[in-house]
Amino acid sequence: MDQILGQVLRNAVWERLDMLSELAQRADAPSLVSVARSELPRLTEGWRAMLLAHEPDERGDCPTCSTRWHRCKAPCPVWQVAHEHLVAGGLAPQQDPKRRRPAPAQARSAAPSAAETTGRHALVRTPAPRRALA
């Protein structure tokens, strides 16, 4: 059940991002102003909430990206992506967004991929699973 709910959540987020990208590319100026006024505050609050969860602790580790056995030093991948997209902008090498985005929900196979079932997505690189110590 959690996998289904997670997939529905991820699909809804990807569809919303697709819709906003489409509006940015095709909408007329008055529509863009209206969308910017309603969506920019929501997007900035979303970034702030996500980055707050990835603030380094007193040891300089990201509490969200770290595990019991592997500490992730700041800046974690989430902060690196935030900097790349929000600060570096045109200075960072740009990847074609269509290559990063998963296929639309109706074109997906019935079985979710490993990334879909673990909640990983293209914007956040997560560490590879660790092998158990023998």
Side-chain angles (χ1 to χ4, degrees):
M1 183 65 164
D2 288 341
Q3 290 179 353
I4 294 169
L5 182 59
Q7 187 61 50
V8 168
L9 182 141
R10 285 187 298 279
N11 285 344
V13 170
W14 284 117
E15 288 171 13
R16 182 69 171 194
L17 291 172
D18 289 343
M19 183 268 305
L20 291 172
S21 292
E22 183 74 18
L23 279 172
Q25 293 172 4
R26 303 203 192 303
D28 60 10
S31 298
L32 282 174
V33 169
S34 176
V35 169
R37 285 190 176 135
S38 66
E39 295 298 324
L40 282 175
R42 292 176 61 184
L43 290 171
T44 56
E45 285 306 309
W47 271 104
R48 284 186 178 107
M50 182 172 48
L51 293 172
L52 188 59
H54 291 268
E55 274 293 308
D57 61 17
E58 62 281 351
R59 294 180 304 237
D61 297 331
C62 173
T64 304
C65 294
S66 296
T67 68
R68 179 184 232 173
W69 298 278
H70 172 74
R71 307 309 300 168
C72 181
K73 285 290 184 195
C76 72
V78 171
W79 274 97
Q80 293 171 18
V81 167
H83 184 269
E84 177 185 334
H85 289 275
L86 298 174
V87 179
L91 302 176
Q94 298 296 314
Q95 180 181 5
D96 180 6
K98 292 183 185 204
R99 294 183 64 203
R100 183 176 13 220
R101 186 180 323 134
Q106 55 271 47
R108 292 177 192 241
S109 64
S113 71
E116 291 169 334
T117 59
T118 59
R120 297 177 186 156
H121 58 83
L123 294 178
V124 179
R125 193 186 87 239
T126 56
R130 302 285 178 203
R131 286 185 254 155
L133 295 174

